[in-house]
Coordinates of all heavy atoms in Angstrom, one line a residue:
P53 N 134.8 115.4 95.2 CA 134.1 114.1 95.3 C 132.5 114.3 95.4 O 131.8 113.6 94.8 CB 134.6 113.5 96.6 CG 136.0 114.1 96.7 CD 135.9 115.5 96.2
R54 N 132.1 115.4 96.1 CA 130.7 115.7 96.2 C 130.1 116.0 94.9 O 128.9 115.6 94.5 CB 130.4 116.8 97.2 CG 129.9 116.3 98.5 CD 129.6 117.4 99.5 NE 128.4 118.1 99.2 CZ 128.2 119.4 99.6 NH1 129.1 120.1 100.2 NH2 127.0 119.9 99.3
L55 N 130.7 116.8 94.1 CA 130.2 117.2 92.8 C 130.1 116.0 91.9 O 129.1 115.8 91.2 CB 131.0 118.4 92.2 CG 130.5 118.8 90.8 CD1 129.1 119.4 90.9 CD2 131.4 119.9 90.2
T56 N 131.2 115.3 91.8 CA 131.2 114.1 91.0 C 130.2 113.1 91.3 O 129.5 112.6 90.4 CB 132.6 113.4 91.1 OG1 133.6 114.4 90.9 CG2 132.8 112.3 90.1
A57 N 130.0 112.9 92.6 CA 129.0 111.9 93.0 C 127.6 112.4 92.6 O 126.8 111.6 92.2 CB 129.0 111.7 94.5
A58 N 127.3 113.7 92.8 CA 126.0 114.2 92.4 C 125.8 114.1 90.9 O 124.7 113.7 90.5 CB 125.9 115.7 92.8
L59 N 126.8 114.4 90.1 CA 126.6 114.3 88.6 C 126.5 112.8 88.2 O 125.6 112.5 87.4 CB 127.7 115.0 87.9 CG 127.8 116.5 88.1 CD1 129.1 117.1 87.3 CD2 126.6 117.2 87.7
E60 N 127.3 111.9 88.8 CA 127.2 110.6 88.4 C 125.8 110.0 88.8 O 125.3 109.1 88.1 CB 128.3 109.8 89.0 CG 129.6 110.0 88.2 CD 130.9 109.4 88.8 OE1 130.8 108.9 89.9 OE2 132.0 109.5 88.1
A61 N 125.4 110.4 90.0 CA 124.0 109.9 90.4 C 122.9 110.2 89.4 O 121.9 109.5 89.3 CB 123.7 110.4 91.8
A62 N 123.1 111.3 88.7 CA 122.2 111.7 87.7 C 122.4 111.1 86.3 O 121.8 111.5 85.3 CB 122.1 113.2 87.6
G63 N 123.5 110.2 86.3 CA 123.8 109.5 85.0 C 124.6 110.4 84.1 O 124.7 110.1 82.9
I64 N 125.3 111.4 84.6 CA 126.1 112.3 83.8 C 127.6 111.8 83.8 O 128.1 111.7 84.9 CB 126.0 113.8 84.3 CG1 124.5 114.2 84.2 CG2 126.9 114.7 83.5 CD1 124.2 115.6 84.9
A65 N 128.2 111.6 82.7 CA 129.6 111.3 82.6 C 130.3 112.7 82.8 O 130.0 113.6 82.1 CB 129.9 110.7 81.3
C66 N 131.3 112.7 83.8 CA 131.9 113.9 84.1 C 133.4 113.8 84.3 O 133.9 114.0 85.4 CB 131.2 114.6 85.3 SG 131.1 113.5 86.7
P67 N 134.1 113.7 83.2 CA 135.6 113.8 83.3 C 136.0 115.1 83.8 O 135.3 116.1 83.6 CB 136.1 113.5 81.8 CG 135.0 114.0 81.0 CD 133.7 113.6 81.8
A68 N 137.2 115.1 84.6 CA 137.6 116.4 85.2 C 138.9 116.8 84.6 O 139.8 116.0 84.4 CB 137.6 116.2 86.7
V69 N 139.2 118.1 84.4 CA 140.4 118.7 84.1 C 140.8 119.6 85.3 O 140.1 120.6 85.5 CB 140.3 119.5 82.8 CG1 141.7 120.1 82.5 CG2 139.9 118.6 81.6
I70 N 141.9 119.2 86.0 CA 142.2 120.0 87.2 C 143.5 120.9 86.9 O 144.5 120.3 86.4 CB 142.5 119.0 88.4 CG1 141.4 118.0 88.5 CG2 142.8 119.8 89.7 CD1 140.0 118.7 88.7
V71 N 143.4 122.1 87.2 CA 144.5 123.0 86.9 C 145.0 123.6 88.2 O 144.5 123.5 89.2 CB 144.0 124.2 86.0 CG1 143.3 123.7 84.7 CG2 142.9 125.1 86.8
P72 N 146.3 124.1 88.1 CA 146.9 124.7 89.4 C 146.1 125.9 89.8 O 145.6 126.7 89.0 CB 148.3 125.1 88.9 CG 148.5 124.4 87.6 CD 147.2 124.2 87.0
P73 N 146.0 126.1 91.1 CA 145.3 127.3 91.6 C 146.2 128.5 91.4 O 147.4 128.4 91.3 CB 145.2 127.0 93.1 CG 146.2 126.0 93.5 CD 146.5 125.2 92.3
G74 N 145.5 129.6 91.3 CA 146.3 130.9 91.2 C 146.1 131.6 89.9 O 145.8 131.0 88.9
E75 N 146.3 132.9 90.0 CA 146.2 133.8 88.9 C 147.0 133.4 87.7 O 146.6 133.6 86.5 CB 146.4 135.3 89.3 CG 146.1 136.4 88.3 CD 144.6 136.7 88.2 OE1 143.8 136.4 89.2 OE2 144.2 137.1 87.2
Q76 N 148.2 132.8 87.9 CA 149.1 132.4 86.7 C 148.4 131.5 85.8 O 148.7 131.4 84.6 CB 150.4 131.8 87.2 CG 151.1 132.4 88.4 CD 150.4 131.9 89.7 OE1 149.5 132.6 90.3 NE2 150.7 130.6 90.1
T77 N 147.4 130.7 86.3 CA 146.7 129.8 85.4 C 145.8 130.5 84.4 O 145.5 129.9 83.4 CB 145.9 128.9 86.4 OG1 146.8 128.1 87.2 CG2 145.0 127.9 85.6
K78 N 145.4 131.7 84.7 CA 144.6 132.6 83.8 C 145.5 133.2 82.7 O 145.6 134.4 82.7 CB 143.9 133.6 84.6 CG 142.4 133.5 84.7 CD 141.8 134.6 85.4 CE 141.7 135.9 84.6 NZ 141.0 137.0 85.3
S79 N 146.2 132.4 81.9 CA 147.2 132.9 81.0 C 147.1 132.1 79.7 O 146.3 131.2 79.6 CB 148.6 132.6 81.6 OG 148.7 131.2 81.8
F80 N 147.8 132.6 78.7 CA 147.8 131.9 77.4 C 148.2 130.4 77.6 O 147.7 129.5 77.0 CB 148.7 132.6 76.3 CG 148.0 133.6 75.6 CD1 148.3 135.0 75.7 CD2 146.9 133.3 74.7 CE1 147.6 136.0 75.0 CE2 146.3 134.2 73.9 CZ 146.6 135.6 74.1
A81 N 149.3 130.3 78.4 CA 149.8 128.9 78.7 C 148.7 128.1 79.4 O 148.5 126.9 79.0 CB 151.0 128.9 79.5
G82 N 148.0 128.7 80.3 CA 147.0 127.9 81.0 C 145.8 127.5 80.1 O 145.2 126.5 80.2
L83 N 145.5 128.5 79.2 CA 144.4 128.3 78.2 C 144.9 127.2 77.2 O 144.0 126.3 76.9 CB 144.1 129.6 77.5 CG 143.1 129.5 76.3 CD1 141.7 129.2 76.9 CD2 143.1 130.8 75.5
A84 N 146.1 127.2 76.8 CA 146.6 126.2 75.8 C 146.5 124.8 76.5 O 146.0 123.8 75.8 CB 148.0 126.5 75.4
D85 N 146.9 124.7 77.7 CA 146.9 123.5 78.4 C 145.5 123.0 78.6 O 145.2 121.8 78.3 CB 147.6 123.6 79.8 CG 147.5 122.4 80.7 OD1 148.0 121.3 80.3 OD2 146.8 122.4 81.7
L86 N 144.6 123.8 79.0 CA 143.2 123.4 79.2 C 142.5 123.0 78.0 O 141.9 121.9 77.8 CB 142.4 124.6 79.9 CG 140.9 124.4 80.0 CD1 140.5 123.1 80.8 CD2 140.3 125.6 80.7
S87 N 142.7 123.8 76.9 CA 142.1 123.5 75.6 C 142.6 122.1 75.1 O 141.8 121.3 74.6 CB 142.5 124.5 74.5 OG 142.2 125.8 75.0
D88 N 143.9 121.9 75.3 CA 144.5 120.6 74.8 C 143.9 119.4 75.6 O 143.5 118.4 74.9 CB 146.0 120.6 75.0 CG 146.6 119.4 74.4 OD1 146.5 119.1 73.2 OD2 147.2 118.5 75.2
R89 N 143.6 119.6 76.8 CA 143.1 118.5 77.7 C 141.7 118.3 77.3 O 141.2 117.2 77.4 CB 143.4 118.8 79.1 CG 144.9 118.6 79.4 CD 145.3 119.3 80.7 NE 144.9 118.5 81.9 CZ 145.0 119.0 83.1 NH1 145.4 120.2 83.3 NH2 144.6 118.3 84.2
L90 N 140.9 119.3 77.0 CA 139.5 119.2 76.6 C 139.4 118.5 75.3 O 138.6 117.6 75.0 CB 138.8 120.6 76.5 CG 138.6 121.3 77.8 CD1 138.2 122.7 77.6 CD2 137.7 120.6 78.7
L91 N 140.4 118.8 74.3 CA 140.4 118.1 73.0 C 140.7 116.6 73.2 O 140.1 115.8 72.6 CB 141.5 118.8 72.1 CG 141.1 120.1 71.6 CD1 142.3 120.8 71.0 CD2 139.9 120.0 70.5
A92 N 141.7 116.4 74.2 CA 142.0 115.0 74.5 C 140.8 114.1 75.0 O 140.7 112.9 74.8 CB 143.2 115.0 75.4
L93 N 139.9 114.8 75.7 CA 138.7 114.2 76.2 C 137.7 114.0 75.0 O 136.6 113.4 75.2 CB 138.0 115.0 77.3 CG 138.8 115.2 78.6 CD1 138.0 116.1 79.5 CD2 138.9 113.8 79.3
E94 N 138.0 114.5 73.9 CA 137.1 114.5 72.8 C 135.8 115.1 73.0 O 134.7 114.7 72.6 CB 136.9 113.0 72.2 CG 138.2 112.5 71.7 CD 138.1 111.1 71.1 OE1 137.0 110.6 71.0 OE2 139.2 110.5 70.8
L95 N 135.8 116.2 73.8 CA 134.7 117.0 74.1 C 134.1 117.6 72.8 O 134.9 118.1 72.0 CB 135.1 118.1 75.1 CG 133.9 118.8 75.9 CD1 133.4 117.9 77.0 CD2 134.4 120.1 76.4
D96 N 132.8 117.5 72.6 CA 132.3 118.1 71.4 C 131.3 119.1 71.6 O 130.9 119.4 72.8 CB 132.0 117.1 70.3 CG 130.8 116.3 70.7 OD1 129.9 116.8 71.4 OD2 130.9 115.0 70.5
R97 N 130.7 119.7 70.6 CA 129.9 120.9 70.7 C 128.6 120.7 71.5 O 128.1 121.6 72.2 CB 129.4 121.3 69.3 CG 130.5 121.9 68.4 CD 130.9 123.4 68.7 NE 129.7 124.2 68.5 CZ 129.4 124.9 67.3 NH1 130.1 124.6 66.2 NH2 128.4 125.6 67.2
G98 N 128.2 119.5 71.6 CA 127.0 119.2 72.4 C 127.2 118.9 73.8 O 126.3 118.8 74.7
D99 N 128.5 118.9 74.2 CA 128.9 118.7 75.6 C 128.9 120.0 76.3 O 128.8 121.1 75.7 CB 130.2 118.0 75.7 CG 130.2 116.6 75.1 OD1 129.1 115.9 75.2 OD2 131.2 116.1 74.6
L100 N 129.1 119.9 77.6 CA 129.1 121.2 78.4 C 130.3 121.2 79.3 O 130.8 120.2 79.7 CB 127.8 121.0 79.3 CG 127.4 122.2 80.2 CD1 126.4 123.0 79.6 CD2 126.9 121.6 81.6
I101 N 130.8 122.5 79.6 CA 131.9 122.6 80.5 C 131.3 123.2 81.8 O 130.5 124.1 81.8 CB 132.9 123.6 79.9 CG1 133.6 122.9 78.8 CG2 133.9 124.1 81.0 CD1 134.6 123.8 78.0
V102 N 131.7 122.6 82.9 CA 131.3 123.1 84.3 C 132.5 123.8 84.9 O 133.6 123.1 85.2 CB 130.8 121.9 85.1 CG1 130.5 122.4 86.5 CG2 129.6 121.3 84.5
A103 N 132.5 125.0 85.1 CA 133.6 125.8 85.8 C 133.3 125.7 87.3 O 132.4 126.3 87.8 CB 133.6 127.2 85.3
F104 N 134.2 125.0 88.0 CA 134.0 124.7 89.4 C 135.1 125.3 90.2 O 136.2 124.6 90.3 CB 133.8 123.2 89.6 CG 133.6 122.7 91.0 CD1 132.6 123.4 91.8 CD2 134.2 121.7 91.6 CE1 132.3 123.0 93.1 CE2 134.0 121.2 92.9 CZ 133.1 121.9 93.6
G105 N 135.0 126.5 90.6 CA 136.1 127.1 91.4 C 135.8 128.6 91.6 O 134.7 129.0 91.5
G106 N 136.9 129.3 91.9 CA 136.8 130.8 92.1 C 136.9 131.5 90.7 O 136.6 130.9 89.7
G107 N 137.1 132.8 90.8 CA 137.1 133.6 89.6 C 138.1 133.2 88.6 O 137.9 133.3 87.4
V108 N 139.3 132.7 89.0 CA 140.3 132.2 88.1 C 139.8 131.1 87.2 O 139.8 131.1 86.0 CB 141.6 131.8 88.8 CG1 142.4 131.0 88.0 CG2 142.3 133.0 89.4
V109 N 139.2 130.1 87.8 CA 138.7 128.9 87.1 C 137.5 129.4 86.2 O 137.4 129.0 85.1 CB 138.2 127.8 88.1 CG1 137.3 126.8 87.4 CG2 139.5 127.1 88.6
G110 N 136.6 130.2 86.7 CA 135.5 130.7 86.0 C 135.8 131.5 84.8 O 135.3 131.3 83.7
D111 N 136.8 132.4 84.9 CA 137.3 133.2 83.8 C 138.0 132.4 82.7 O 137.7 132.6 81.6 CB 138.2 134.3 84.3 CG 137.5 135.6 84.8 OD1 136.2 135.4 85.1 OD2 138.1 136.6 85.0
L112 N 138.8 131.5 83.2 CA 139.6 130.6 82.3 C 138.7 129.6 81.6 O 138.7 129.5 80.4 CB 140.7 129.9 83.0 CG 141.5 128.8 82.2 CD1 142.4 129.5 81.2 CD2 142.3 127.9 83.1

Side-chain angles (χ1 to χ4, degrees):
R54 256 181 76 204
L55 180 60
T56 308
L59 295 182
E60 283 174 352
I64 299 169
C66 52
V69 178
I70 309 306
V71 301
E75 190 73 28
Q76 321 77 262
T77 296
K78 245 183 79 174
S79 60
F80 272 113
L83 178 68
D85 174 65
L86 172 57
S87 308
D88 184 61
R89 290 161 75 189
L90 293 171
L91 288 165
L93 291 174
E94 297 181 6
L95 196 75
D96 64 40
R97 295 275 302 271
D99 297 328
L100 183 100
I101 291 175
V102 176
F104 183 45
V108 164
V109 164
D111 278 12
L112 173 72

